[in-house]
Amino acid sequence: MNAVTRAYDLGTPIARLADQLQPLLLLTLRVYIAWVFIKAGLTKIEDWDTTLFLFAEEYKVPLLPPAIAAFMGTAGEIVLPPLLAIGLAGRFAALGLFIVNLMAVVSYPALWEFECPAAVEAHLWWGVGLLGLVAFGPGTLSVDRLLGRRRD
């Protein structure tokens, strides 16, 4: 048995374990990202005047008036996370939150200037996770799967 074959034989149990854990890992990813975004949305509706001020003065959302950008961003952060968490229209919810996340990164240039790079890195990791969910779907532990939408 050569080295490549031995390495593959060792990798097979690991691959099987990864396959078995995949639904739980996708569920965990969905719930974590949903929690992040819903907290942001709830913060925005908690003090709407401050939210409108931030969208008018700090965030530079292209093409949209600040009030409309504030409403759309907040609506995305309130409506899409529950869908993502339960896996109902999971790919749609992940894509929508990816766009919300992308707009946050693009429209808030100060994010790149913070002393702590974790601010930008968090957005990048959320974006990667959301793209993974768009690509692979919400997994077997989802309402989409329960309803028979086997597109993932």
Side-chain angles (χ1 to χ4, degrees):
M1 185 182 265
N2 68 31
V4 174
T5 307
R6 281 194 303 272
Y8 179 76
D9 287 343
L10 291 174
T12 302
I14 294 170
R16 275 194 221 114
L17 178 62
D19 287 343
Q20 291 171 348
L21 291 176
Q22 183 189 47
L24 188 58
L25 293 173
L26 288 172
L27 174 63
T28 303
L29 179 63
R30 290 191 341 252
V31 169
Y32 165 70
I33 293 176
W35 177 245
V36 168
F37 280 90
I38 197 130
K39 284 191 314 184
L42 292 173
T43 300
K44 285 179 180 71
I45 63 172
E46 188 175 283
D47 189 351
W48 189 246
D49 289 336
T50 300
T51 298
L52 290 175
F53 173 80
L54 287 171
F55 273 85
E57 301 298 326
E58 291 286 324
Y59 308 147
K60 306 298 180 201
V61 177
L63 305 176
L64 293 175
I68 293 173
F71 175 78
M72 290 177 67
T74 304
E77 290 177 336
I78 297 295
V79 172
L80 297 173
L83 294 175
L84 184 69
I86 65 172
L88 178 60
R91 284 188 162 130
F92 169 80
L95 181 61
L97 286 173
F98 177 80
I99 292 167
V100 169
N101 186 55
L102 180 64
M103 290 310 302
V105 171
V106 167
S107 67
Y108 190 41
L111 187 67
W112 296 90
E113 298 167 7
F114 290 149
E115 300 247 345
C116 177
V120 172
E121 289 174 6
H123 281 278
L124 295 175
W125 283 114
W126 299 330
V128 168
L130 289 164
L131 283 179
L133 290 167
V134 169
F136 300 113
T140 57
L141 298 176
S142 67
V143 173
D144 282 351
R145 181 57 62 96
L146 185 66
L147 295 175
R149 298 178 186 164
R150 298 193 52 105
R151 294 183 188 150
D152 51 312

